[in-house]
């Protein structure tokens, strides 16, 4: 369903009645626009839905926030009464069309906006429009419900496109090339995962191991440096969501690492194999619940859009508290649970194994030790493998000594970054290596709630391919159930 609205771009009052399309500025072969063109242009808005309230509610049955979307469209109609709602009018008019794609996570995720020019219109690439017609605006980048609304987005488009027109008239010789571009754009607007054009396929081949780090703080930079050092990624994108350019980010820009791109545009992450979330709220003088809710609000603004740009990626969460933020990411992305994991106790497990083997020089007879459960003081040490090969007394003494050495080790950003890079290596290169990561624990250790806890998991290109079996002990089961209960209780208080 499309909604079309003529919008006055130049100065002057809103007017009613019939609107005649204006001639677009032409473009000479030198690329410069000719003088004398009319600065009045029209925006034609397309929304894939019906305005009739009851019909719209039925149509949006699978939308997570259906009623909020319906109310906002009613508000759009109030401010822009010239909207026409129809099923088949698009393509029959010669105007500047803009398509809004409203995701099922609207209004918490921004719309995705494209120009839809006709064959005799060329896209004027600028700071707000790329060569494929994708629209980038500060309003979209800073989208935050309930402050951000479609009405405000349309008003910003009017203002920005008045300063820099997004389209121009093509000479007839260029129309064939434009038809090919329009076919490409059509594929994009049908869904990023559904693009089959040759140029897009070539782009995918060139960036087959693309990884995106979300967050430009110390942890984000540490992950970027560690992944870059291991040479895992053909292309590595660091999304800096903060205002301005801070110390570490500025240094990365100055010294320009190979294959590393720094961006504030979420769409730069498109087609990533792994998305790593490192952002954290810096709340002060707040309760613990307030700080976690601040993180949730931040994730609510970015996770659905990032998931849309990379629908086949693995989401790796390093933000704190990792168990809860992994759960939040899972819910907001609607990804299958095996493709949403947290860094969990991977670093502690790797350290503990190193301490036992290389510091204590202990013989474990092939048995592996893991730190599982919840990050922090409530983590649990457990062993896998045949129990008979090691006496219980020796195992307890070894575990206690190793844990004493582990407790004095702090988790610095650089050490977490190295751990993250190791997990990314296992995922991207399908190594089928075992890591203790936060995964959906429902059904394990008699846990019945939807919580994420660290368990030994085999990681590959699809995320968690298998959860390793560990011998059950009553004490371990009790601790894991206690962690699950406290985490679930906090999750119930969050506003997703």
């Amino acid at each position: 369903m499309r909604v079309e609205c003529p919008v006055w771009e130049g100065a002057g009052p809103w007017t009613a009645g019939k609107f005649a399309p204006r001639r677009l500025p032409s473009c000479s072969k030198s690329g410069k626009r000719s003088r004398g063109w009319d600065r009045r242009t029209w925006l034609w808005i397309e929304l894939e839905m019906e305005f009739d309230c009851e019909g719209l509610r039925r149509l949006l049955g699978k939308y997570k926030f259906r009623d909020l979307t319906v109310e906002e469209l009613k508000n759009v109609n109030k401010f822009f009464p010239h909207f026409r709602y129809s099923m088949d009018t698009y393509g029959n008019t010669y105007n500047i069309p803009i398509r809004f794609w409203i995701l099922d996570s609207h209004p918490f995720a921004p719309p995705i906006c494209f120009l839809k020019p006709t064959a005799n219109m060329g896209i004027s690439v600028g700071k707000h429009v790329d060569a494929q017609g994708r629209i980038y605006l500060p309003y979209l980048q800073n989208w935050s419900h309930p402050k951000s609304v479609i009405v405000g987005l349309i008003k910003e488009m009017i203002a920005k496109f008045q300063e820099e027109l997004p389209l121009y008239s093509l000479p007839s010789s260029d129309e064939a090339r434009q038809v090919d571009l329009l076919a490409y754009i059509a594929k994009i607007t049908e869904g990023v995962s559904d693009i089959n054009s040759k140029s897009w396929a070539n782009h995918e081949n060139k960036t087959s191991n693309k990884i995106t780090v979300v967050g430009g703080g110390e942890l984000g930079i540490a992950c970027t440096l560690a992944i870059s050092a291991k040479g895992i990624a053909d292309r590595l994108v660091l999304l800096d969501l903060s205002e301005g350019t801070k110390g570490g980010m500025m240094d990365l820009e100055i010294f320009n690492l190979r294959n590393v791109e720094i961006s504030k545009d979420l769409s730069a992450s498109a087609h990533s194999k792994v998305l790593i979330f490192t952002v954290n709220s810096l709340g002060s003088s707040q309760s613990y619940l307030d700080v976690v809710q601040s993180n949730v609000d931040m994730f609510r603004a970015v996770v659905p859009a990032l998931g849309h740009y990379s629908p086949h990626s693995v989401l790796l969460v390093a933000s704190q508290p990792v168990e809860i933020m992994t759960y939040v990411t899972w819910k907001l992305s609607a990804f299958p649970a095996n493709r949403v994991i947290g860094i969990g106790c991977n670093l502690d497990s790797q350290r503990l194994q190193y301490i036992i083997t290389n510091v204590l020089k202990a013989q474990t007879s092939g048995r592996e030790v893991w730190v599982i459960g919840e990050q922090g003081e409530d983590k649990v040490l457990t062993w896998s493998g045949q129990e008979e090969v090691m006496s219980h007394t020796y195992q307890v003494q070894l575990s206690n000594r190793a844990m004493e050495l582990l407790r004095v080790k702090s988790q610095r950003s650089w050490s977490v970054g190295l751990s993250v890079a190791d997990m990314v290596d296992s995922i991207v290169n399908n190594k089928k290596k075992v890591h203790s990561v936060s995964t959906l624990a429902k059904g394990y250790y008699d846990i019945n709630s939807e919580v994420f806890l660290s368990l030994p998991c085999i990681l590959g290109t699809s995320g968690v391919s298998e959860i390793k079996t560990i011998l059950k002990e009553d004490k371990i089961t009790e601790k894991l159930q206690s962690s699950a209960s406290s985490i679930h209780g906090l999750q119930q208080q969050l506003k997703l």
Side-chain angles (χ1 to χ4, degrees):
M1 176 63 191
R2 302 174 182 83
V3 183
E4 296 187 345
C5 173
V7 178
W8 179 275
E9 191 190 60
W14 294 91
T15 57
K18 296 182 178 179
F19 296 87
R22 300 297 182 186
R23 181 172 62 86
L24 287 167
S26 61
C27 187
S28 65
K29 290 184 179 180
S30 65
K32 296 181 179 179
R33 295 190 182 93
S34 59
R35 294 173 179 263
W37 49 268
D38 193 335
R39 285 192 62 84
R40 189 187 305 173
T41 54
W42 311 106
L43 302 180
W44 290 83
I45 314 303
E46 289 193 351
L47 301 175
E48 301 297 314
M49 51 186 61
E50 188 83 39
F51 182 69
D52 169 65
C53 285
E54 291 307 317
L56 182 58
R57 284 191 174 91
R58 289 192 297 272
L59 185 64
L60 304 183
K62 294 184 178 180
Y63 273 50
K64 298 176 184 176
F65 312 107
R66 178 185 61 184
D67 292 342
L68 289 172
T69 302
V70 171
E71 288 302 315
E72 182 167 2
L73 291 179
K74 287 168 67 178
N75 191 40
V76 170
N77 190 66
K78 174 182 175 183
F79 279 86
F80 298 93
H82 304 301
F83 272 102
R84 298 203 315 270
Y85 300 89
S86 62
M87 295 296 293
D88 57 2
T89 58
Y90 177 75
N92 298 327
T93 54
Y94 178 72
N95 293 288
I96 301 177
I98 294 174
R99 173 170 289 177
F100 289 61
W101 285 92
I102 297 180
L103 307 179
D104 62 357
S105 50
H106 187 83
F108 297 105
I112 299 174
C113 307
F114 283 91
L115 292 171
K116 292 286 291 182
T118 58
N120 59 349
M121 295 180 185
I123 295 174
S124 182
V125 177
K127 61 182 178 181
H128 301 306
V129 179
D130 67 14
Q132 285 74 45
R134 180 67 183 275
I135 297 171
Y136 306 95
L137 292 170
Y139 201 93
L140 290 169
Q141 174 66 36
N142 301 318
W143 186 276
S144 177
H145 176 77
K147 179 178 64 175
S148 302
V149 292
I150 292 176
V151 170
L153 176 58
I154 294 172
K155 289 179 178 179
E156 178 157 307
M157 283 187 179
I158 294 170
K160 296 298 183 183
F161 290 160
Q162 180 176 341
E163 298 171 2
E164 185 178 331
L165 286 175
L167 296 173
Y168 59 88
S169 294
L170 277 175
S172 58
S173 60
D174 289 339
E175 289 189 14
R177 180 174 57 83
Q178 183 69 357
V179 169
D180 293 337
L181 177 58
L182 291 177
Y184 173 80
I185 295 174
K187 279 297 181 184
I188 295 177
T189 56
E190 286 171 12
V192 174
S193 62
D194 204 21
I195 297 173
N196 296 312
S197 71
K198 291 182 180 179
S199 61
W200 191 267
N202 291 338
H203 174 76
E204 282 292 86
N205 290 335
K206 290 178 182 177
T207 58
S208 56
N209 284 347
K210 180 177 177 181
I211 298 165
T212 295
V213 178
V214 185
E218 286 188 10
L219 180 55
I221 293 174
C223 291
T224 300
L225 293 174
I227 293 168
S228 178
K230 287 181 76 74
I232 305 166
D234 299 323
R235 184 181 174 197
L236 181 55
V237 177
L238 177 56
L239 284 180
D240 179 19
L241 305 183
S242 62
E243 294 293 330
T245 302
K246 297 183 180 178
M249 295 299 299
M250 183 177 68
D251 293 339
L252 280 181
E253 291 181 350
I254 292 171
F255 296 106
N256 191 25
L257 292 177
R258 188 175 68 88
N259 295 337
V260 175
E261 173 190 349
I262 300 173
S263 178
K264 290 183 177 291
D265 177 14
L266 299 184
S267 67
S269 67
H271 306 298
S272 294
K273 278 194 173 181
V274 183
L275 292 167
I276 305 161
F277 293 86
T278 68
V279 287
N280 280 297
S281 171
L282 300 176
S284 59
S285 67
Q286 295 175 307
S287 68
Y288 181 66
L289 178 61
D290 289 335
V291 173
V292 176
Q293 184 64 53
S294 295
N295 267 358
V296 171
D297 295 340
M298 191 187 313
F299 272 50
R300 198 166 55 197
V302 298
V303 169
L306 291 171
H308 180 77
Y309 295 136
S310 302
H312 304 298
S313 62
V314 175
L315 308 183
L316 177 57
V317 181
S319 303
Q320 297 295 328
V322 67
E323 294 83 16
I324 292 175
M325 297 316 299
T326 307
Y327 166 82
V328 169
T329 303
W330 176 52
K331 285 297 185 181
L332 292 176
S333 67
F335 276 29
N338 64 291
R339 289 200 286 120
V340 183
I341 58 180
I343 61 171
C345 298
N346 182 68
L347 178 58
D348 281 337
S349 290
Q350 298 290 337
R351 283 175 166 178
L352 194 68
Q353 291 169 12
Y354 181 87
I355 288 170
I356 289 174
T357 304
N358 296 284
V359 178
L360 300 179
K361 307 292 184 180
Q363 298 297 320
T364 59
S365 304
R367 297 197 67 189
E368 292 181 315
V369 62
W370 300 99
V371 179
I372 64 173
E374 184 181 0
Q375 257 193 8
E377 295 300 317
D378 294 322
K379 58 193 172 191
V380 181
L381 184 149
T382 187
W383 294 79
S384 64
Q386 295 290 330
E387 192 171 6
E388 294 79 12
V389 299
M390 188 188 303
S391 71
H392 179 71
T393 302
Y394 176 69
Q395 179 178 304
V396 171
Q397 291 174 345
L398 182 60
S399 298
N400 290 340
R401 178 60 181 143
M403 287 298 286
E404 286 176 7
L405 295 175
L406 180 64
R407 287 191 185 98
V408 301
K409 299 289 184 181
S410 60
Q411 294 204 1
R412 304 281 185 177
S413 293
W414 62 266
S415 55
V416 177
L418 291 171
S419 174
V420 167
D422 189 50
M423 286 183 278
V424 171
D425 187 26
S426 293
I427 295 168
V428 168
N429 294 311
N430 201 31
K431 288 192 169 180
K432 301 296 182 181
K433 182 179 174 181
V434 183
H435 297 265
S436 182
V437 294
S438 304
T439 189
L440 185 62
K442 185 177 181 180
Y444 295 88
Y445 293 93
D446 301 322
I447 295 171
N448 298 317
S449 53
E450 291 183 337
V451 296
F452 282 70
L453 291 172
S454 282
L455 296 173
C457 299
I458 298 176
L459 297 187
T461 52
S462 60
V464 175
S465 60
E466 181 185 341
I467 298 178
K468 297 286 287 183
T469 302
I470 298 177
L471 296 174
K472 279 191 176 182
E473 297 180 20
D474 291 341
K475 186 176 181 181
I476 292 175
T477 299
E478 183 180 337
K479 285 185 176 181
L480 293 180
Q481 288 180 348
S482 175
S483 291
S485 178
S486 62
I487 291 171
H488 181 68
L490 183 56
Q491 286 174 180
Q492 295 297 100
Q493 300 178 63
L494 298 174
K495 300 173 182 177
L496 292 181

